[in-house]
Amino acid sequence: MSSDSNKLLKDQRSCYGAVRHPGAITSMEVTGYQRVQWRVILCHILTVLSVGILWLIFHWKPVLEVLAKCHPCHLSQSDWVIIKDSFNQQFVARVWTEEVEDDCFPHPTESSEDDKQINLAIGVLEDDWKDTIQLQKQEEKNVIRYYTFEGSRYIWIENRLSFCSLSVLEEALTCGDIHRLQRGLSRHHQNAKRRVYGPNVIDVPVKSYFALLIEEVLNPFYIFQIFSIILWITETYYYYAGCILFISIVSIGISLYQTHKQSVTLRNMVKLTVNVQVRRDTGEEEMVNSQDLVPGDCIVIPDDGIQVPCDVALLTGECMVNESMLTGESVPVMKTPLPDQDANYSHEEHKRHTLFCGTQVVQSKNYTMDQQVVAVVVRTGFCTAKGELISSILYPKPLGFKFYKDAVKFIIFLAILALIGDIYSIVILERQKVSVGRVLMRVLDLITIIIPPALPAAMTVGTIYAQNRLKKYGIFCISPPRINICGKLKLICFDKTGTLTEEGLDIWGVVPMVGETFEPIVHDPRHLVGSPMLHALATCHSVTLLSNHLIGDPLDLKMIESTGWILNDEMTESDSVSSFGMKVLAVMKPPLLEEQSYGSKQEESLGILRRFPFDSSLQRMSVITKKPGNLPVEAYMKGAPEMVASFCRKETVPADFSEMLKHYARDGYRVLGLAYKTLSKDIAFEAVHKLKRNCVESEMTFLGFLIMRNILKPETRPVIDSLNRANFRTVMVTGDNMLTALNVARNCGMVGLKDRVIFANASPPSRDKPACVKFLPSDQAPGQQNGTEQPGNHSLEQSYYHFALNGMSFAVVYDYFPDLLQKILLRGTVYARMAPNQKTQLVESLQKLEYSVGMCGDGANDCGALKTADAGISLSEAEASVASPFTSKIDNIECVPMVIREGRASLITSFGVFKYMAMYSMIQFVSVLIMYSIDSNLGDWQYLFFDLVITTTVAILMGRTGPAKELVLQRPVGSLINVSILGSLLLQTLLVILIQVLTYTVTTTQSWFVPVNTSSSNSKLPNYENTALFCVSGFQYLILATVLSKGQPFRKPLYSNVLFLVALILLYALMIFLTLYPLQFIRQILQLMLISDVNFKLLLLGFAALHFFTSLLFETAIDSGFLNLCLRPLCKKKQSKKLYKRLEKELCRNSAWPPLNEIIYAESGSIIHFE
């Protein structure tokens, strides 16, 4: 099976008409359905008979409509498809047909033999084209069949018997095929291909206000509101119904405006339409709209740059590209031509040769005056890198957060409670001989009370406040629901360079080679006049000039600065030919003679002919240079020392290479290796650009080390210490050297000074032995100096230990030791020499252990990990980047505890508001049930007072309480279904019932009490029972708002929320006033009885005080764990649900693990003692 996540491959074992699509990232199952006319007609009839209810159900659940109106069929005959993704979500899509011409993809004229082997435009054999897409004959017309899902088009491919993403049509293209497309497509060919690929647009749907209104009104929440309003009107609650209707209209209006505005903003941000110059196969060039581009078009990149409208492979020249929109990395990246070779093109593998859609080319340079900078379109629309990112924003993966799932379960529980209340009401009202219509209205009324319609909105209040607070600190969030998830983070991964340490490194010096030995360190490279080492430092970079300013990687800028050499890339072709004998891309000039104060002077410049840019997966870069005159061409390489040494001749690498590298890396320096080689003297500029990288980067001569100081940011150590105190696991994931990373880990506090570090060294399988892993302690005891260990000394019983492993070892363990990987991940703290895809794999592996994982990096190489993590924080100057859910303008890791503290505060607020809204419903539910016992109810204005004046005010202001200043050891619960939450709700509900029943009972025993006339058919208001319950229940709303707004340990104290505190004081005062001395006009509006018994009024206040102190006592006891302590003897001790906790317990019990200095083979899993 292919791992391409965009293909739908045939699974012979799947059900009839279904195709399962497995992928590395997502998995989809597609099932075909065909319309049946009699079923469609029957559904229309049932829709009319059900007064539109069936249509409404189909609107909410389109899958049911397809199942009702269609029958399963083979995908090749389907009119509709049902798509089931890896999260078990189901979607429907209509299969469309489009007419195309029979000669849709003719061969270009004058095709070469190579061209005839492959359709260069689409990457499939020309003879197979009709078999591949199967141009089906329908009434003598050729049509293609496709459906659109999440913006991407999936086309029917007959020989695969499945719908496949359009990217499949290019998967067979080689780099050589793309180079042969330089001559361009014909207009006819382009138009024909556009029928298949569609327009080159990333279309963000913007619905009209009317369409949004219909969609909003048909939302289940508003359907429930409409039902409730109609019910309240029939019960003569005109004022209450009117107010709720007004609020609903305002809410819908605001929602429509915000939804439309967000859609327009995103569309304007995404929309990219420019005029581009396109080559035609006739040799002509014409300007076309970028929407008309198709894969295979050859476009010209202007000198002053362009915003790239699609993914294109660069074929000639060089481009400096700002990719901050995609990666959050503000430093421009140099792109070089795609190598002309037979290897399959991959936008990931060849990203240094690909200009991605949405990025900005700030400068392009051609190699010769008669040559343009050209690129070939490889992906368009939603298939582009930008399209995939926008698709992830428009169609985000569901958040597997238990809180949201439990909220739905709890609402279902409330609905069941409403059903029980309805049964009770029916029994009570039947005994009172109430009419059937009145009983029905009372029953329906209970449903509107027990299920609070404002619950979904109220639960987002805390998140909105947290998002606004983060924005003030310069932390922007494009996915607000993830703020709550931040409250549950347990493990944080950090990139090193630019995140934990300063971005700009200081050059400490160079360690040059003389003969086969290292010389002492030279702190000023300018002393090395005329040496290959100095030339390597001056030329081996990707720096360029833009408006007379050097732009490029900060490391390269520091390196050039240390040499004193000057970059000049504006030399004319004639001048460069006269000086160097050929065209050069840029010239590095030595400092002025008067500035060269070290011995001999250097006057010769160096011309840069070609660059192989740095690639984090290759861990190196190289350049080809030329000295003036008839001197040979030279190549210089810079990169990870181990990688550079592997490309050098063995005799040039000194014997003490590893020791010298360890010496500097152990002290925390960042070390790069340098090498060079001499190429042929008689080589032309064009031949230089045809050289393959692996030919240039071989048989080189090792030059020495470049040593840089890797300084910790001053904020790093305090932040890591605070995370350690709060029991967070901190992990470093870097592309740097292992010993350098380990030094930084110790200096920043990730690894304690007394903690042991064990290297997990793994080797891939070879011909004579399988893959193996060996655990080696970093600092061996005296008995281990010779590489052996004393018998029986295989465990680390007395100290905490950390695993450290590099990218190669991680890859081997990941592929061959899945069980061992879990144990290593539990204690893995330092991951060095990690490629970008390995960072993503690491985050995914940690999530499989059921860690909630955060990731903090500075964009670029961390993009995949940032998006995969539960909470990715990109340190970027961009206000909002699609690279991660959070973007921080704070250029250090202080943003991490801020986000966690806000996440915890938001989560606790969400729990508090949820509990309050549930208790608000319960208070009103109990009051109404008691009133039903005398066939009465709350008054119109009483509902308004409770719902708008008290509850709305409280629910809005509750969430304003900010986060605590410090992270604490304790973590907030993430589920509603747990002992503390349910216990709190149960005890508070029992207390509400007790106080209200007590109030009702005491009221009926008063000497002045006059019972309600149950034979009357009116509302029976005012009455004494209603007035007493109104006063007490009013206090209950406020008491629970106070008690459930707890502050510490995750939030500031209640009094810090000044607006909420003032609102509570005013509302308490108002309730005391209404209880003791209500004015006559207020009594008339609220339909309250005049009670002149002061002692009784004081008794009501006493009930409220009793409720307050008892409720506060309950919450304090639950928070202190008293409830868990009481229930512990009744409950069996269960294993933790978290996989990492269960594995941690197993490791703690196994004192013999890890086995040090022993080899574990993958084949049999046996352990063999290392001799």
Side-chain angles (χ1 to χ4, degrees), residues 622-647:
S622 54
V623 294
I624 300 175
T625 67
K626 175 94 169 52
K627 293 177 182 177
N630 192 27
L631 294 173
V633 173
E634 293 177 326
Y636 293 96
M637 180 193 288
K638 175 189 70 181
E642 307 93 331
M643 185 62 69
V644 170
S646 68
F647 290 97

mmCIF file of all heavy atoms in Angstrom, residues 622-647:
data_model
loop_
_atom_site.group_PDB
_atom_site.id
_atom_site.type_symbol
_atom_site.label_atom_id
_atom_site.label_comp_id
_atom_site.label_asym_id
_atom_site.label_seq_id
_atom_site.Cartn_x
_atom_site.Cartn_y
_atom_site.Cartn_z
ATOM 1 N N SER A 622 26.734 23.281 0.366
ATOM 2 C CA SER A 622 28.014 23.415 -0.312
ATOM 3 C C SER A 622 27.906 24.439 -1.433
ATOM 4 O O SER A 622 26.803 24.768 -1.888
ATOM 5 C CB SER A 622 28.489 22.060 -0.861
ATOM 6 O OG SER A 622 27.495 21.482 -1.677
ATOM 7 N N VAL A 623 29.056 24.942 -1.861
ATOM 8 C CA VAL A 623 29.117 25.914 -2.955
ATOM 9 C C VAL A 623 30.265 25.529 -3.884
ATOM 10 O O VAL A 623 31.204 24.828 -3.492
ATOM 11 C CB VAL A 623 29.341 27.356 -2.441
ATOM 12 C CG1 VAL A 623 28.155 27.843 -1.640
ATOM 13 C CG2 VAL A 623 30.619 27.469 -1.631
ATOM 14 N N ILE A 624 30.156 25.992 -5.112
ATOM 15 C CA ILE A 624 31.238 25.834 -6.086
ATOM 16 C C ILE A 624 31.750 27.233 -6.408
ATOM 17 O O ILE A 624 30.967 28.126 -6.730
ATOM 18 C CB ILE A 624 30.759 25.126 -7.364
ATOM 19 C CG1 ILE A 624 30.222 23.724 -7.018
ATOM 20 C CG2 ILE A 624 31.879 25.020 -8.383
ATOM 21 C CD1 ILE A 624 29.621 22.987 -8.206
ATOM 22 N N THR A 625 33.085 27.435 -6.275
ATOM 23 C CA THR A 625 33.661 28.766 -6.425
ATOM 24 C C THR A 625 34.794 28.752 -7.456
ATOM 25 O O THR A 625 35.280 27.689 -7.874
ATOM 26 C CB THR A 625 34.215 29.275 -5.081
ATOM 27 O OG1 THR A 625 35.339 28.472 -4.702
ATOM 28 C CG2 THR A 625 33.159 29.215 -3.990
ATOM 29 N N LYS A 626 35.223 29.962 -7.813
ATOM 30 C CA LYS A 626 36.302 30.112 -8.803
ATOM 31 C C LYS A 626 37.130 31.330 -8.431
ATOM 32 O O LYS A 626 36.593 32.380 -8.062
ATOM 33 C CB LYS A 626 35.682 30.295 -10.197
ATOM 34 C CG LYS A 626 36.673 30.589 -11.311
ATOM 35 C CD LYS A 626 37.078 29.330 -12.005
ATOM 36 C CE LYS A 626 37.860 29.558 -13.291
ATOM 37 N NZ LYS A 626 39.011 30.434 -13.156
ATOM 38 N N LYS A 627 38.454 31.170 -8.519
ATOM 39 C CA LYS A 627 39.356 32.299 -8.346
ATOM 40 C C LYS A 627 39.569 32.971 -9.706
ATOM 41 O O LYS A 627 39.379 32.343 -10.755
ATOM 42 C CB LYS A 627 40.694 31.824 -7.778
ATOM 43 C CG LYS A 627 40.604 31.286 -6.357
ATOM 44 C CD LYS A 627 41.952 30.771 -5.888
ATOM 45 C CE LYS A 627 41.859 30.181 -4.489
ATOM 46 N NZ LYS A 627 43.152 29.598 -4.042
ATOM 47 N N PRO A 628 39.980 34.236 -9.697
ATOM 48 C CA PRO A 628 40.232 34.908 -10.975
ATOM 49 C C PRO A 628 41.346 34.210 -11.764
ATOM 50 O O PRO A 628 42.227 33.554 -11.199
ATOM 51 C CB PRO A 628 40.666 36.321 -10.554
ATOM 52 C CG PRO A 628 40.124 36.504 -9.180
ATOM 53 C CD PRO A 628 40.154 35.148 -8.556
ATOM 54 N N GLY A 629 41.244 34.347 -13.066
ATOM 55 C CA GLY A 629 42.275 33.772 -13.925
ATOM 56 C C GLY A 629 41.996 32.329 -14.275
ATOM 57 O O GLY A 629 40.894 31.803 -14.069
ATOM 58 N N ASN A 630 43.026 31.680 -14.764
ATOM 59 C CA ASN A 630 42.893 30.303 -15.246
ATOM 60 C C ASN A 630 43.206 29.311 -14.135
ATOM 61 O O ASN A 630 44.075 28.447 -14.263
ATOM 62 C CB ASN A 630 43.819 30.094 -16.442
ATOM 63 C CG ASN A 630 43.530 28.794 -17.158
ATOM 64 O OD1 ASN A 630 42.419 28.294 -17.118
ATOM 65 N ND2 ASN A 630 44.556 28.246 -17.804
ATOM 66 N N LEU A 631 42.484 29.454 -13.019
ATOM 67 C CA LEU A 631 42.690 28.575 -11.878
ATOM 68 C C LEU A 631 41.533 27.586 -11.781
ATOM 69 O O LEU A 631 40.416 27.863 -12.241
ATOM 70 C CB LEU A 631 42.795 29.397 -10.591
ATOM 71 C CG LEU A 631 44.035 30.303 -10.495
ATOM 72 C CD1 LEU A 631 43.947 31.193 -9.260
ATOM 73 C CD2 LEU A 631 45.310 29.459 -10.449
ATOM 74 N N PRO A 632 41.764 26.414 -11.159
ATOM 75 C CA PRO A 632 40.693 25.405 -11.109
ATOM 76 C C PRO A 632 39.507 25.855 -10.243
ATOM 77 O O PRO A 632 39.636 26.697 -9.363
ATOM 78 C CB PRO A 632 41.392 24.180 -10.510
ATOM 79 C CG PRO A 632 42.559 24.723 -9.772
ATOM 80 C CD PRO A 632 43.009 25.934 -10.522
ATOM 81 N N VAL A 633 38.385 25.231 -10.517
ATOM 82 C CA VAL A 633 37.159 25.455 -9.739
ATOM 83 C C VAL A 633 37.264 24.660 -8.440
ATOM 84 O O VAL A 633 37.803 23.544 -8.428
ATOM 85 C CB VAL A 633 35.920 25.022 -10.547
ATOM 86 C CG1 VAL A 633 34.666 25.081 -9.702
ATOM 87 C CG2 VAL A 633 35.783 25.885 -11.787
ATOM 88 N N GLU A 634 36.745 25.237 -7.347
ATOM 89 C CA GLU A 634 36.803 24.575 -6.046
ATOM 90 C C GLU A 634 35.406 24.469 -5.442
ATOM 91 O O GLU A 634 34.534 25.307 -5.705
ATOM 92 C CB GLU A 634 37.720 25.344 -5.081
ATOM 93 C CG GLU A 634 39.174 25.322 -5.489
ATOM 94 C CD GLU A 634 40.055 26.156 -4.571
ATOM 95 O OE1 GLU A 634 39.565 27.196 -4.078
ATOM 96 O OE2 GLU A 634 41.212 25.775 -4.356
ATOM 97 N N ALA A 635 35.195 23.448 -4.632
ATOM 98 C CA ALA A 635 33.930 23.254 -3.924
ATOM 99 C C ALA A 635 34.195 23.301 -2.426
ATOM 100 O O ALA A 635 35.205 22.756 -1.953
ATOM 101 C CB ALA A 635 33.304 21.919 -4.302
ATOM 102 N N TYR A 636 33.322 23.954 -1.709
ATOM 103 C CA TYR A 636 33.434 24.044 -0.248
ATOM 104 C C TYR A 636 32.149 23.525 0.384
ATOM 105 O O TYR A 636 31.048 23.749 -0.144
ATOM 106 C CB TYR A 636 33.673 25.494 0.184
ATOM 107 C CG TYR A 636 35.015 26.039 -0.240
ATOM 108 C CD1 TYR A 636 35.142 26.792 -1.393
ATOM 109 C CD2 TYR A 636 36.156 25.792 0.516
ATOM 110 C CE1 TYR A 636 36.373 27.296 -1.796
ATOM 111 C CE2 TYR A 636 37.397 26.286 0.129
ATOM 112 C CZ TYR A 636 37.503 27.037 -1.032
ATOM 113 O OH TYR A 636 38.715 27.516 -1.419
ATOM 114 N N MET A 637 32.311 22.824 1.509
ATOM 115 C CA MET A 637 31.152 22.260 2.214
ATOM 116 C C MET A 637 31.162 22.708 3.669
ATOM 117 O O MET A 637 32.231 22.878 4.276
ATOM 118 C CB MET A 637 31.184 20.724 2.162
ATOM 119 C CG MET A 637 29.997 20.064 2.886
ATOM 120 S SD MET A 637 30.240 18.284 3.157
ATOM 121 C CE MET A 637 30.047 17.696 1.483
ATOM 122 N N LYS A 638 29.969 22.898 4.206
ATOM 123 C CA LYS A 638 29.791 23.269 5.615
ATOM 124 C C LYS A 638 28.596 22.498 6.144
ATOM 125 O O LYS A 638 27.586 22.363 5.447
ATOM 126 C CB LYS A 638 29.537 24.778 5.720
ATOM 127 C CG LYS A 638 29.206 25.274 7.122
ATOM 128 C CD LYS A 638 28.761 26.749 7.076
ATOM 129 C CE LYS A 638 27.404 26.892 6.430
ATOM 130 N NZ LYS A 638 26.943 28.286 6.343
ATOM 131 N N GLY A 639 28.702 21.981 7.381
ATOM 132 C CA GLY A 639 27.567 21.265 7.935
ATOM 133 C C GLY A 639 27.911 20.582 9.246
ATOM 134 O O GLY A 639 28.915 20.894 9.896
ATOM 135 N N ALA A 640 27.061 19.640 9.635
ATOM 136 C CA ALA A 640 27.308 18.869 10.855
ATOM 137 C C ALA A 640 28.650 18.158 10.719
ATOM 138 O O ALA A 640 28.919 17.526 9.689
ATOM 139 C CB ALA A 640 26.193 17.860 11.067
ATOM 140 N N PRO A 641 29.515 18.255 11.732
ATOM 141 C CA PRO A 641 30.872 17.687 11.605
ATOM 142 C C PRO A 641 30.890 16.224 11.189
ATOM 143 O O PRO A 641 31.670 15.823 10.320
ATOM 144 C CB PRO A 641 31.452 17.874 13.006
ATOM 145 C CG PRO A 641 30.704 19.022 13.583
ATOM 146 C CD PRO A 641 29.318 18.930 13.033
ATOM 147 N N GLU A 642 30.021 15.418 11.798
ATOM 148 C CA GLU A 642 30.003 13.993 11.459
ATOM 149 C C GLU A 642 29.613 13.794 9.991
ATOM 150 O O GLU A 642 30.156 12.919 9.301
ATOM 151 C CB GLU A 642 29.019 13.234 12.356
ATOM 152 C CG GLU A 642 29.224 13.454 13.845
ATOM 153 C CD GLU A 642 28.380 14.584 14.405
ATOM 154 O OE1 GLU A 642 28.067 15.538 13.648
ATOM 155 O OE2 GLU A 642 28.054 14.533 15.591
ATOM 156 N N MET A 643 28.637 14.612 9.521
ATOM 157 C CA MET A 643 28.186 14.493 8.141
ATOM 158 C C MET A 643 29.282 14.936 7.179
ATOM 159 O O MET A 643 29.553 14.270 6.165
ATOM 160 C CB MET A 643 26.925 15.333 7.939
ATOM 161 C CG MET A 643 26.291 15.205 6.575
ATOM 162 S SD MET A 643 25.729 13.530 6.206
ATOM 163 C CE MET A 643 24.361 13.380 7.360
ATOM 164 N N VAL A 644 29.929 16.056 7.472
ATOM 165 C CA VAL A 644 30.992 16.555 6.601
ATOM 166 C C VAL A 644 32.138 15.549 6.541
ATOM 167 O O VAL A 644 32.671 15.245 5.459
ATOM 168 C CB VAL A 644 31.503 17.927 7.105
ATOM 169 C CG1 VAL A 644 32.762 18.346 6.351
ATOM 170 C CG2 VAL A 644 30.414 18.980 6.944
ATOM 171 N N ALA A 645 32.532 14.999 7.694
ATOM 172 C CA ALA A 645 33.639 14.038 7.729
ATOM 173 C C ALA A 645 33.330 12.794 6.902
ATOM 174 O O ALA A 645 34.234 12.197 6.311
ATOM 175 C CB ALA A 645 33.934 13.650 9.176
ATOM 176 N N SER A 646 32.048 12.418 6.842
ATOM 177 C CA SER A 646 31.674 11.206 6.099
ATOM 178 C C SER A 646 31.865 11.372 4.590
ATOM 179 O O SER A 646 31.924 10.388 3.858
ATOM 180 C CB SER A 646 30.224 10.823 6.401
ATOM 181 O OG SER A 646 29.331 11.786 5.857
ATOM 182 N N PHE A 647 31.952 12.637 4.105
ATOM 183 C CA PHE A 647 32.149 12.892 2.677
ATOM 184 C C PHE A 647 33.623 13.205 2.357
ATOM 185 O O PHE A 647 33.941 13.560 1.233
ATOM 186 C CB PHE A 647 31.271 14.055 2.213
ATOM 187 C CG PHE A 647 29.813 13.730 2.178
ATOM 188 C CD1 PHE A 647 28.978 14.072 3.230
ATOM 189 C CD2 PHE A 647 29.263 13.061 1.092
ATOM 190 C CE1 PHE A 647 27.633 13.769 3.205
ATOM 191 C CE2 PHE A 647 27.917 12.758 1.049
ATOM 192 C CZ PHE A 647 27.095 13.099 2.109
#
